[in-house]
Amino acid sequence: MKISEAAERSGLSIDTIRFYEKRGMLPEIHRGPDGHRRFTPYDIDWLTLLYWLRETGMPLSAIHRFTHLAKAAAGADGDAGLAERRQILLDHRDVLSKKRAMLSRCEDVLSIKLAQYGDPAEENE
């Protein structure tokens, strides 16, 4: 499939896909006889993972390290860098958990404040 369809399926923009490719964060994207990129389902899975890692706020440097390790593993026995890749994901999961807890506390504070303002429906009665 072409880059436009890959962008649509993965949630990434065409420019972002090109950026990731230039940064060496994608597997080798094969090109057709016309010179255009041809994305496989494997490539789409990879792009989708990158989309969600960025969507969750993972720093680009961590994504770069993760993809570098994953690409190295693909060319080796598959287990190369597995422990480090796992740790990158575990660390990021911890960050997300802390953010979730903070957002929950923020929501509680807003709820308390809103309760102090009263229910606007009661004011109209």
Side-chain angles (χ1 to χ4, degrees):
M1 76 188 73
K2 293 183 179 182
I3 194 168
S4 58
E5 188 177 351
E8 185 178 322
R9 287 189 181 198
S10 68
L12 296 171
S13 70
I14 291 172
D15 288 338
T16 300
I17 293 171
R18 289 179 178 143
F19 172 81
Y20 286 154
E21 185 179 27
K22 286 178 187 171
R23 295 281 307 256
M25 297 168 69
L26 300 180
E28 182 182 347
I29 305 297
H30 300 286
R31 294 181 180 260
D34 57 2
H36 293 122
R37 294 170 185 85
R38 296 288 183 244
F39 292 85
T40 66
Y42 174 79
D43 299 328
I44 300 304
D45 287 346
W46 190 283
L47 292 170
T48 303
L49 174 63
L50 294 179
Y51 170 83
W52 284 110
L53 293 177
R54 281 303 287 157
E55 197 66 20
T56 60
M58 182 180 276
L60 193 56
S61 59
I63 295 173
H64 191 270
R65 180 67 184 153
F66 180 85
T67 58
H68 173 76
L69 291 166
K71 285 174 57 177
D77 62 7
D79 289 336
L82 181 62
E84 188 175 351
R85 283 182 283 151
R86 180 171 162 61
Q87 192 60 52
I88 289 169
L89 296 177
L90 287 170
D91 291 347
H92 188 59
R93 184 177 68 182
D94 289 345
V95 168
L96 292 177
S97 180
K98 289 175 185 171
K99 283 183 180 181
R100 187 178 302 109
M102 178 60 80
L103 286 172
S104 181
R105 287 194 297 267
C106 291
E107 186 176 22
D108 291 345
V109 169
L110 289 175
S111 294
I112 290 167
K113 192 62 178 174
L114 285 167
Q116 291 172 348
Y117 289 153
D119 186 352
E122 291 175 4
E123 294 174 11
N124 295 331
E125 293 178 357

